[in-house]
Protein backbone atom coordinates (compact mmCIF):
# COMPACT_ATOMS: atom_id res chain seq x y z
CA UNK A 1 0.00 0.00 0.00
CA UNK A 2 1.43 3.34 -1.07
CA UNK A 3 0.42 5.77 1.69
CA UNK A 4 0.80 8.75 -0.63
CA UNK A 5 -2.31 7.55 -2.49
CA UNK A 6 -4.57 7.95 0.57
CA UNK A 7 -7.09 10.75 -0.06
CA UNK A 8 -6.53 14.01 1.89
CA UNK A 9 -9.83 13.73 3.77
CA UNK A 10 -8.80 10.31 5.10
CA UNK A 11 -5.33 11.56 6.07
CA UNK A 12 -6.98 14.39 7.95
CA UNK A 13 -9.36 11.96 9.68
CA UNK A 14 -6.45 9.73 10.73
CA UNK A 15 -4.52 12.73 12.04
CA UNK A 16 -7.42 14.09 14.10
CA UNK A 17 -8.02 10.63 15.53
CA UNK A 18 -4.39 9.87 16.27
CA UNK A 19 -4.28 6.80 14.01
CA UNK A 20 -0.93 5.96 12.42
CA UNK A 21 -1.44 5.38 8.64
CA UNK A 22 1.37 2.82 8.79
CA UNK A 23 -1.23 0.26 9.90
CA UNK A 24 -2.34 0.09 6.26
CA UNK A 25 1.11 -1.09 5.16
CA UNK A 26 1.21 -4.16 7.42
CA UNK A 27 1.45 -7.21 5.21
CA UNK A 28 0.38 -10.80 5.76
CA UNK A 29 -1.97 -10.29 8.70
CA UNK A 30 -3.22 -13.73 9.70
CA UNK A 31 -6.77 -14.68 8.85
CA UNK A 32 -8.76 -16.27 11.66
CA UNK A 33 -11.31 -19.05 11.67
CA UNK A 34 -13.35 -20.55 14.48
CA UNK A 35 -14.91 -23.93 15.00
CA UNK A 36 -18.64 -24.13 14.44
CA UNK A 37 -19.40 -25.87 17.72
CA UNK A 38 -22.80 -26.86 16.40
CA UNK A 39 -20.85 -29.97 15.39
CA UNK A 40 -19.55 -32.41 18.01
CA UNK A 41 -15.93 -31.77 18.89
CA UNK A 42 -14.91 -35.14 17.47
CA UNK A 43 -15.97 -33.93 13.98
CA UNK A 44 -14.18 -30.57 14.13
CA UNK A 45 -10.79 -30.13 12.44
CA UNK A 46 -7.54 -29.79 14.37
CA UNK A 47 -4.88 -27.22 13.41
CA UNK A 48 -2.96 -30.00 11.65
CA UNK A 49 -6.01 -31.07 9.67
CA UNK A 50 -6.71 -27.47 8.65
CA UNK A 51 -3.11 -27.07 7.62
CA UNK A 52 -3.27 -30.22 5.57
CA UNK A 53 -6.44 -29.08 3.85
CA UNK A 54 -4.93 -25.68 3.12
CA UNK A 55 -1.71 -27.27 1.87
CA UNK A 56 1.09 -24.70 2.12
CA UNK A 57 -0.28 -22.44 4.84
CA UNK A 58 0.64 -22.25 8.49
CA UNK A 59 -2.24 -22.77 10.88
CA UNK A 60 -1.79 -22.09 14.61
CA UNK A 61 -4.32 -22.54 17.40
CA UNK A 62 -4.87 -19.27 19.29
CA UNK A 63 -3.57 -19.62 22.82
CA UNK A 64 -6.32 -19.43 25.44
CA UNK A 65 -9.32 -19.59 23.04
CA UNK A 66 -10.26 -23.12 22.14
CA UNK A 67 -11.34 -23.60 18.54
CA UNK A 68 -9.81 -20.38 17.17
CA UNK A 69 -7.04 -20.66 14.58
CA UNK A 70 -4.77 -18.10 12.93
CA UNK A 71 -3.96 -18.84 9.30
CA UNK A 72 -0.81 -17.24 8.00
CA UNK A 73 -1.32 -16.49 4.37
CA UNK A 74 1.58 -17.08 2.04
CA UNK A 75 3.76 -18.98 4.47
CA UNK A 76 5.24 -22.30 3.45
CA UNK A 77 5.09 -25.40 5.50
CA UNK A 78 8.60 -26.25 6.70
CA UNK A 79 8.88 -29.02 4.16
CA UNK A 80 6.77 -27.34 1.55
CA UNK A 81 7.36 -28.24 -2.05
CA UNK A 82 8.20 -25.68 -4.66
CA UNK A 83 7.30 -22.01 -4.78
CA UNK A 84 4.78 -22.70 -7.49
CA UNK A 85 2.88 -24.97 -5.08
CA UNK A 86 2.75 -22.15 -2.58
CA UNK A 87 1.39 -19.86 -5.26
CA UNK A 88 -1.39 -22.37 -5.81
CA UNK A 89 -2.44 -22.35 -2.15
CA UNK A 90 -5.91 -23.66 -1.58
CA UNK A 91 -8.32 -20.87 -0.67
CA UNK A 92 -9.91 -21.12 2.77
CA UNK A 93 -13.39 -21.10 1.24
CA UNK A 94 -12.48 -24.15 -0.85
CA UNK A 95 -11.31 -26.50 1.90
CA UNK A 96 -13.60 -29.30 3.11
CA UNK A 97 -13.84 -27.93 6.68
CA UNK A 98 -15.21 -24.65 5.33
CA UNK A 99 -17.49 -26.20 2.73
CA UNK A 100 -18.93 -28.51 5.39
CA UNK A 101 -19.55 -25.42 7.58
CA UNK A 102 -17.38 -26.78 10.37
CA UNK A 103 -15.42 -23.52 10.58
CA UNK A 104 -16.34 -19.91 9.90
CA UNK A 105 -14.28 -16.79 9.38
CA UNK A 106 -14.18 -14.30 12.25
CA UNK A 107 -11.31 -12.04 13.25
CA UNK A 108 -9.78 -12.81 16.64
CA UNK A 109 -10.48 -9.26 17.84
CA UNK A 110 -14.18 -9.70 17.00
CA UNK A 111 -14.18 -13.07 18.76
CA UNK A 112 -12.80 -11.42 21.89
CA UNK A 113 -15.64 -8.89 21.87
CA UNK A 114 -18.06 -11.85 22.00
CA UNK A 115 -16.07 -13.57 24.74
CA UNK A 116 -16.20 -10.32 26.73
CA UNK A 117 -19.95 -10.94 27.13
CA UNK A 118 -19.30 -14.19 29.03
CA UNK A 119 -22.42 -15.69 27.47
CA UNK A 120 -24.07 -18.50 29.46
CA UNK A 121 -26.43 -21.20 28.11
CA UNK A 122 -29.51 -19.55 29.70
CA UNK A 123 -28.72 -15.99 28.62
CA UNK A 124 -31.00 -13.94 26.42
CA UNK A 125 -28.60 -11.89 24.31
CA UNK A 126 -29.39 -8.80 22.22
CA UNK A 127 -27.08 -8.03 19.28
CA UNK A 128 -28.09 -4.54 18.23
CA UNK A 129 -26.04 -4.22 14.99
CA UNK A 130 -25.91 -7.85 14.03
CA UNK A 131 -25.28 -8.13 10.29
CA UNK A 132 -23.64 -9.82 8.51
CA UNK A 133 -23.56 -12.00 11.60
CA UNK A 134 -20.21 -13.54 12.48
CA UNK A 135 -20.54 -12.47 16.12
CA UNK A 136 -24.16 -13.55 16.25
CA UNK A 137 -23.23 -17.04 15.00
CA UNK A 138 -20.53 -17.27 17.65
CA UNK A 139 -22.97 -16.16 20.37
CA UNK A 140 -25.50 -18.74 19.22
CA UNK A 141 -22.74 -21.37 19.22
CA UNK A 142 -21.85 -20.54 22.82
CA UNK A 143 -25.48 -20.61 23.98
CA UNK A 144 -25.81 -24.04 22.40
CA UNK A 145 -29.00 -26.02 22.78
CA UNK A 146 -28.88 -27.34 26.34
CA UNK A 147 -30.15 -24.27 28.20
CA UNK A 148 -32.92 -21.77 27.54
CA UNK A 149 -30.86 -18.94 26.03
CA UNK A 150 -31.66 -17.07 22.83
CA UNK A 151 -30.09 -14.44 20.57
CA UNK A 152 -32.03 -11.50 19.17
CA UNK A 153 -30.26 -9.78 16.29
CA UNK A 154 -31.24 -6.36 14.95
CA UNK A 155 -29.97 -4.58 11.85
CA UNK A 156 -31.26 -1.58 9.96
CA UNK A 157 -30.17 -2.83 6.55
CA UNK A 158 -32.62 -5.26 4.92
CA UNK A 159 -30.07 -6.85 2.62
CA UNK A 160 -27.53 -7.26 5.42
CA UNK A 161 -30.09 -8.83 7.74
CA UNK A 162 -30.96 -11.21 4.88
CA UNK A 163 -27.27 -12.17 4.70
CA UNK A 164 -27.36 -12.76 8.44
CA UNK A 165 -30.33 -15.08 8.05
CA UNK A 166 -28.49 -17.07 5.37
CA UNK A 167 -25.46 -17.31 7.63
CA UNK A 168 -27.31 -18.61 10.70
CA UNK A 169 -29.14 -21.15 8.58
CA UNK A 170 -25.99 -22.22 6.79
CA UNK A 171 -24.15 -22.76 10.07
CA UNK A 172 -27.21 -24.44 11.60
CA UNK A 173 -27.27 -22.09 14.57
CA UNK A 174 -30.72 -20.60 13.84
CA UNK A 175 -32.60 -22.71 16.38
CA UNK A 176 -32.52 -19.97 19.07
CA UNK A 177 -32.10 -16.89 16.87
CA UNK A 178 -34.60 -14.14 16.11
CA UNK A 179 -33.68 -11.45 13.59
CA UNK A 180 -35.32 -8.05 13.23
CA UNK A 181 -34.87 -5.58 10.41
CA UNK A 182 -35.20 -2.48 12.55
CA UNK A 183 -33.48 0.64 13.80
CA UNK A 184 -31.48 -0.34 16.87
CA UNK A 185 -31.80 3.14 18.36
CA UNK A 186 -35.55 2.74 18.80
CA UNK A 187 -35.84 -1.06 19.06
CA UNK A 188 -38.21 -2.04 21.86
CA UNK A 189 -38.78 -5.78 21.60
CA UNK A 190 -37.84 -7.40 24.89
CA UNK A 191 -36.25 -10.81 25.34
CA UNK A 192 -38.43 -13.81 24.50
CA UNK A 193 -40.79 -14.41 27.40
CA UNK A 194 -39.66 -16.87 30.06
CA UNK A 195 -42.68 -18.91 29.11
CA UNK A 196 -41.22 -18.82 25.64
CA UNK A 197 -38.04 -20.16 27.13
CA UNK A 198 -39.99 -23.04 28.63
CA UNK A 199 -41.48 -23.70 25.23
CA UNK A 200 -37.96 -24.16 23.93
CA UNK A 201 -37.13 -26.71 26.56
CA UNK A 202 -40.34 -28.59 26.08
CA UNK A 203 -40.59 -28.28 22.35
CA UNK A 204 -39.17 -31.74 21.81
CA UNK A 205 -41.70 -33.48 24.04
CA UNK A 206 -44.79 -31.30 23.83
CA UNK A 207 -46.80 -29.49 21.26
CA UNK A 208 -45.43 -25.93 21.15
CA UNK A 209 -48.70 -24.67 19.64
CA UNK A 210 -50.54 -25.65 22.83
CA UNK A 211 -47.96 -23.83 24.91
CA UNK A 212 -48.31 -20.74 22.79
CA UNK A 213 -52.05 -20.80 23.32
CA UNK A 214 -51.50 -20.85 27.07
CA UNK A 215 -49.24 -17.85 26.78
CA UNK A 216 -51.67 -15.83 24.72
CA UNK A 217 -54.54 -16.69 27.12
CA UNK A 218 -53.16 -14.26 29.63
CA UNK A 219 -50.52 -16.07 31.69
CA UNK A 220 -48.61 -12.82 31.64
CA UNK A 221 -47.26 -10.34 34.14
CA UNK A 222 -49.52 -7.41 35.02
CA UNK A 223 -46.96 -4.88 33.86
CA UNK A 224 -46.62 -6.49 30.46
CA UNK A 225 -48.19 -5.14 27.38
CA UNK A 226 -48.00 -6.90 24.08
CA UNK A 227 -45.95 -5.44 21.29
CA UNK A 228 -46.10 -6.74 17.77
CA UNK A 229 -43.10 -6.30 15.60
CA UNK A 230 -42.79 -9.07 13.07
CA UNK A 231 -39.39 -10.73 13.16
CA UNK A 232 -37.53 -10.82 9.87
CA UNK A 233 -36.67 -14.38 10.81
CA UNK A 234 -37.51 -16.58 13.78
CA UNK A 235 -37.64 -20.35 14.21
CA UNK A 236 -41.03 -21.83 14.99
CA UNK A 237 -40.50 -21.87 18.74
CA UNK A 238 -39.76 -18.13 18.87
CA UNK A 239 -41.98 -16.90 16.03
CA UNK A 240 -45.10 -16.57 18.16
CA UNK A 241 -43.49 -15.14 21.25
CA UNK A 242 -46.01 -12.70 22.76
CA UNK A 243 -43.32 -9.99 22.96
CA UNK A 244 -43.92 -9.13 26.58
CA UNK A 245 -42.58 -5.97 28.15
CA UNK A 246 -41.45 -5.33 31.69
CA UNK A 247 -38.32 -5.73 33.78
CA UNK A 248 -38.42 -9.50 33.82
CA UNK A 249 -38.07 -9.55 30.05
CA UNK A 250 -34.92 -7.46 29.83
CA UNK A 251 -31.86 -9.00 28.15
CA UNK A 252 -29.07 -10.57 30.20
CA UNK A 253 -26.36 -9.45 27.77
CA UNK A 254 -26.25 -6.80 25.03
CA UNK A 255 -23.64 -6.28 22.35
CA UNK A 256 -23.46 -3.01 20.43
CA UNK A 257 -20.96 -3.72 17.66
CA UNK A 258 -21.70 -0.32 16.30
CA UNK A 259 -21.80 1.09 12.83
CA UNK A 260 -18.54 3.04 12.46
CA UNK A 261 -16.05 4.39 9.94
CA UNK A 262 -14.50 0.90 9.52
CA UNK A 263 -11.02 2.43 9.38
CA UNK A 264 -9.60 -0.41 11.49
CA UNK A 265 -10.65 -3.03 8.99
CA UNK A 266 -7.47 -3.09 6.92
CA UNK A 267 -8.71 -5.47 4.23
CA UNK A 268 -11.81 -3.31 3.79
CA UNK A 269 -9.78 -0.10 3.38
CA UNK A 270 -7.30 -1.72 1.00
CA UNK A 271 -10.12 -2.72 -1.34
CA UNK A 272 -10.62 0.95 -2.17
CA UNK A 273 -7.24 0.96 -3.91
CA UNK A 274 -9.06 -1.01 -6.61
CA UNK A 275 -12.57 0.34 -6.16
CA UNK A 276 -11.40 3.97 -6.15
CA UNK A 277 -10.93 6.39 -3.25
CA UNK A 278 -13.79 8.56 -4.50
CA UNK A 279 -16.24 5.88 -3.41
CA UNK A 280 -14.47 5.64 -0.04
CA UNK A 281 -14.65 9.39 0.52
CA UNK A 282 -18.31 9.40 -0.43
CA UNK A 283 -19.16 6.42 1.82
CA UNK A 284 -17.06 7.15 4.87
CA UNK A 285 -15.51 10.62 4.91
CA UNK A 286 -18.65 12.59 4.20
CA UNK A 287 -18.56 15.42 6.82
CA UNK A 288 -22.24 14.95 7.72
CA UNK A 289 -21.73 11.24 8.27
CA UNK A 290 -18.60 11.83 10.34
CA UNK A 291 -20.48 14.31 12.50
CA UNK A 292 -23.47 12.02 12.95
CA UNK A 293 -21.73 8.70 13.49
CA UNK A 294 -20.75 9.30 17.12
CA UNK A 295 -24.29 10.38 17.91
CA UNK A 296 -25.63 7.21 16.25
CA UNK A 297 -23.23 5.12 18.34
CA UNK A 298 -24.33 6.87 21.53
CA UNK A 299 -27.99 6.35 20.66
CA UNK A 300 -27.32 2.65 20.06
CA UNK A 301 -25.54 2.29 23.41
CA UNK A 302 -28.39 4.02 25.26
CA UNK A 303 -30.99 1.92 23.47
CA UNK A 304 -29.15 -1.31 24.35
CA UNK A 305 -28.71 -0.10 27.93
CA UNK A 306 -32.46 0.51 28.30
CA UNK A 307 -33.09 -3.16 27.40
CA UNK A 308 -30.42 -4.58 29.71
CA UNK A 309 -31.27 -6.23 33.02
CA UNK A 310 -29.71 -4.94 36.25
CA UNK A 311 -26.32 -6.53 36.76
CA UNK A 312 -26.28 -7.37 33.03
CA UNK A 313 -23.31 -6.79 30.71
CA UNK A 314 -23.18 -4.50 27.68
CA UNK A 315 -20.20 -4.78 25.34
CA UNK A 316 -19.51 -1.86 23.03
CA UNK A 317 -17.16 -2.45 20.11
CA UNK A 318 -16.15 -0.84 16.84
CA UNK A 319 -13.80 -1.67 14.01
CA UNK A 320 -12.60 1.92 14.07
CA UNK A 321 -9.42 3.11 15.75
CA UNK A 322 -10.72 6.66 16.11
CA UNK A 323 -10.57 8.12 19.60
CA UNK A 324 -13.91 9.89 19.12
CA UNK A 325 -15.80 6.67 18.31
CA UNK A 326 -14.13 4.74 21.11
CA UNK A 327 -12.62 6.31 24.23
CA UNK A 328 -14.69 9.48 23.87
CA UNK A 329 -17.96 7.55 23.63
CA UNK A 330 -16.97 5.43 26.64
CA UNK A 331 -16.10 8.55 28.68
CA UNK A 332 -19.36 10.23 27.64
CA UNK A 333 -21.38 7.18 28.68
CA UNK A 334 -19.64 6.78 32.04
CA UNK A 335 -20.05 10.49 32.76
CA UNK A 336 -23.72 10.51 31.79
CA UNK A 337 -24.76 7.35 33.66
CA UNK A 338 -22.56 7.86 36.73
CA UNK A 339 -23.14 5.24 39.39
CA UNK A 340 -25.54 3.20 37.24
CA UNK A 341 -22.58 1.84 35.33
CA UNK A 342 -19.27 0.16 36.00
CA UNK A 343 -16.59 -0.12 33.39
CA UNK A 344 -15.06 -3.58 33.71
CA UNK A 345 -11.91 -5.09 32.29
CA UNK A 346 -12.22 -7.71 29.58
CA UNK A 347 -12.20 -11.13 31.27
CA UNK A 348 -9.21 -13.40 30.68
CA UNK A 349 -7.75 -11.11 28.03
CA UNK A 350 -4.25 -11.66 29.42
CA UNK A 351 -4.54 -15.42 28.92
CA UNK A 352 -5.21 -15.05 25.20
CA UNK A 353 -2.35 -15.10 22.72
CA UNK A 354 -2.87 -11.50 21.61
CA UNK A 355 -1.24 -8.25 22.64
CA UNK A 356 -3.51 -5.25 23.08
CA UNK A 357 -2.44 -1.75 22.04
CA UNK A 358 -2.67 1.12 24.54
CA UNK A 359 -5.88 3.11 24.65
CA UNK A 360 -5.81 6.74 23.51
CA UNK A 361 -6.10 10.05 25.29
CA UNK A 362 -7.23 13.23 23.57
CA UNK A 363 -10.97 12.79 24.06
CA UNK A 364 -13.17 15.56 25.37
CA UNK A 365 -16.51 15.45 27.15
CA UNK A 366 -18.19 18.72 28.16
CA UNK A 367 -18.88 19.66 31.79
CA UNK A 368 -16.21 17.47 33.32
CA UNK A 369 -13.65 18.59 35.89
CA UNK A 370 -9.96 17.80 35.36
CA UNK A 371 -10.11 15.37 38.25
CA UNK A 372 -13.08 13.52 36.75
CA UNK A 373 -11.30 13.38 33.42
CA UNK A 374 -8.16 11.92 34.99
CA UNK A 375 -10.27 9.32 36.83
CA UNK A 376 -12.09 8.27 33.69
CA UNK A 377 -8.89 8.19 31.65
CA UNK A 378 -7.31 5.86 34.22
CA UNK A 379 -10.40 3.59 34.11
CA UNK A 380 -10.38 3.48 30.33
CA UNK A 381 -6.67 2.65 30.25
CA UNK A 382 -7.19 -0.14 32.76
CA UNK A 383 -10.31 -1.69 31.27
CA UNK A 384 -10.79 -1.01 27.55
CA UNK A 385 -8.77 -2.75 24.87
CA UNK A 386 -7.62 -1.75 21.43
CA UNK A 387 -6.29 -4.20 18.90
CA UNK A 388 -4.30 -3.02 15.93
CA UNK A 389 -2.38 -4.65 13.09
CA UNK A 390 1.03 -3.58 14.40
CA UNK A 391 0.70 -4.54 18.09
CA UNK A 392 -1.86 -7.33 17.90
CA UNK A 393 -1.54 -8.70 14.34
CA UNK A 394 -5.32 -8.43 13.96
CA UNK A 395 -7.66 -5.95 12.34
CA UNK A 396 -8.11 -2.68 14.21
CA UNK A 397 -10.76 -3.11 16.90
CA UNK A 398 -11.91 -1.54 20.18
CA UNK A 399 -13.82 -3.23 23.02
CA UNK A 400 -15.37 -1.86 26.22
CA UNK A 401 -17.45 -3.78 28.75
CA UNK A 402 -20.03 -2.14 31.01
CA UNK A 403 -22.04 -3.61 33.87
CA UNK A 404 -25.41 -2.19 34.91
CA UNK A 405 -25.33 -1.74 38.66
CA UNK A 406 -28.17 0.57 39.68
CA UNK A 407 -30.06 -1.76 41.99
CA UNK A 408 -26.99 -3.23 43.60
CA UNK A 409 -25.69 0.24 44.38
CA UNK A 410 -29.06 1.33 45.74
CA UNK A 411 -29.16 -1.69 48.00
CA UNK A 412 -25.69 -0.96 49.30
CA UNK A 413 -26.47 2.76 49.53
CA UNK A 414 -23.32 3.74 47.66
CA UNK A 415 -22.26 7.35 47.24
CA UNK A 416 -22.47 9.15 43.90
CA UNK A 417 -18.98 8.47 42.63
CA UNK A 418 -18.60 8.58 38.90
CA UNK A 419 -18.12 5.24 37.24
CA UNK A 420 -16.65 3.16 40.05
CA UNK A 421 -14.30 0.57 38.65
CA UNK A 422 -14.20 -3.01 39.85
CA UNK A 423 -12.07 -5.42 37.94
CA UNK A 424 -14.39 -8.16 39.06
CA UNK A 425 -13.77 -10.01 35.86
CA UNK A 426 -10.08 -10.55 36.56
C1 LIG B 1 -19.91 -3.20 12.16
S1 LIG B 1 -21.34 -3.77 11.38
C2 LIG B 1 -21.83 -5.06 12.46
C3 LIG B 1 -21.08 -6.35 12.25
C4 LIG B 1 -21.72 -7.52 12.94
N1 LIG B 1 -21.86 -7.34 14.37
C5 LIG B 1 -20.97 -8.83 12.70
O1 LIG B 1 -20.33 -9.35 13.60
O2 LIG B 1 -21.04 -9.32 11.58
C6 LIG B 1 -22.50 -2.54 11.75
C7 LIG B 1 -23.92 -2.85 11.34
O3 LIG B 1 -24.76 -1.85 11.92
C8 LIG B 1 -25.88 -1.70 11.08
N2 LIG B 1 -26.55 -0.45 11.47
C9 LIG B 1 -26.27 0.82 11.13
N3 LIG B 1 -27.12 1.67 11.71
C10 LIG B 1 -27.96 0.93 12.46
C11 LIG B 1 -29.09 1.22 13.29
N4 LIG B 1 -29.51 2.46 13.51
N5 LIG B 1 -29.72 0.18 13.88
C12 LIG B 1 -29.32 -1.10 13.68
N6 LIG B 1 -28.28 -1.43 12.89
C13 LIG B 1 -27.61 -0.44 12.30
C14 LIG B 1 -25.29 -1.74 9.69
O4 LIG B 1 -26.27 -2.08 8.74
C15 LIG B 1 -24.20 -2.81 9.85
O5 LIG B 1 -24.68 -4.05 9.43
Amino acid sequence: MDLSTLPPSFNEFLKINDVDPVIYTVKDLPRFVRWNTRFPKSELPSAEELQQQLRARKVSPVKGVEGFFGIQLGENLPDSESESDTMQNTRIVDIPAYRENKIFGIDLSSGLAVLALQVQPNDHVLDLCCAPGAKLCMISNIIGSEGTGTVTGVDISPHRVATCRSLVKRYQVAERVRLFNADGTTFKVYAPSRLGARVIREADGENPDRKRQQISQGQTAESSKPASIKPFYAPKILRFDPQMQGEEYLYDKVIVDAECTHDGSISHILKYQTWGWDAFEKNFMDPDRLRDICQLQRNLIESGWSLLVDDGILVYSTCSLSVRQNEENVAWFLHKYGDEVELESIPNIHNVGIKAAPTKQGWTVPNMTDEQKRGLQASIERCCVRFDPITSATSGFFVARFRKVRKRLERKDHSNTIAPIHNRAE
Side-chain angles (χ1 to χ4, degrees), residues 106 110 114 127-137 154-161 164 167 180-187 255-260 262 289 293 296 299-300 317-319 397:
I106 177 167
S110 293
V114 172
D127 182 348
L128 217 39
C129 289
C130 69
K135 293 182 198 66
L136 186 133
C137 286
V154 181
D155 204 282
I156 201 164
S157 155
H159 74 268
R160 287 174 70 90
V161 87
C164 191
L167 215 63
F180 290 87
N181 177 212
D183 183 345
T185 63
T186 52
F187 186 70
I255 181 163
V256 178
D257 182 38
E259 176 68 8
C260 68
H262 303 287
R289 181 178 149 89
I293 196 121
L296 169 64
N299 293 345
L300 286 164
S317 59
T318 73
C319 61
F397 209 76

Side-chain angles (χ1 to χ4, degrees), residues 101-126:
N101 304 320
K102 291 183 175 167
I103 54 167
F104 56 85
I106 177 167
D107 197 73
L108 178 58
S109 53
S110 293
L112 292 175
V114 172
L115 293 177
L117 285 168
Q118 292 189 301
V119 171
Q120 304 299 317
N122 290 341
D123 280 347
H124 293 287
V125 182
L126 174 64

Side-chain angles (χ1 to χ4, degrees), residues 179-222:
L179 298 176
F180 290 87
N181 177 212
D183 183 345
T185 63
T186 52
F187 186 70
K188 272 288 170 247
V189 178
Y190 284 52
S193 70
R194 306 295 160 175
L195 275 172
R198 229 179 288 151
V199 171
I200 291 169
R201 238 181 301 161
E202 292 165 10
D204 287 344
E206 289 191 31
N207 177 357
D209 291 328
R210 190 167 61 77
K211 282 278 165 194
R212 276 201 300 275
Q213 255 176 14
Q214 287 174 2
I215 294 164
S216 60
Q217 278 165 10
Q219 296 181 357
T220 61
E222 286 283 308

Side-chain angles (χ1 to χ4, degrees), residues 32-47 49-50 53 59 66-69 71 92-106 137-138 141 167-173:
F32 291 93
V33 294
R34 182 184 180 273
W35 277 344
N36 178 7
T37 50
R38 170 78 179 76
F39 289 88
K41 205 167 163 183
S42 57
E43 291 180 25
L44 292 167
S46 64
E49 283 162 344
L50 285 174
Q53 294 185 13
V59 179
E66 195 191 23
F68 241 102
F69 302 92
I71 299 174
I92 296 173
V93 292
D94 292 331
I95 67 173
Y98 190 91
R99 277 192 275 110
E100 291 160 11
N101 304 320
K102 291 183 175 167
I103 54 167
F104 56 85
I106 177 167
C137 286
M138 182 169 162
N141 251 190
L167 215 63
V168 295
K169 285 188 170 179
R170 176 175 161 194
Y171 289 111
Q172 299 170 48
V173 295

Side-chain angles (χ1 to χ4, degrees), residues 303-327:
S303 170
W305 194 248
S306 73
L307 291 169
L308 180 68
V309 71
D310 279 317
D311 216 31
I313 302 289
L314 183 146
V315 165
Y316 172 68
S317 59
T318 73
C319 61
S320 168
L321 289 172
S322 111
V323 68
R324 290 203 55 218
Q325 294 170 59
N326 296 321
E327 288 84 351

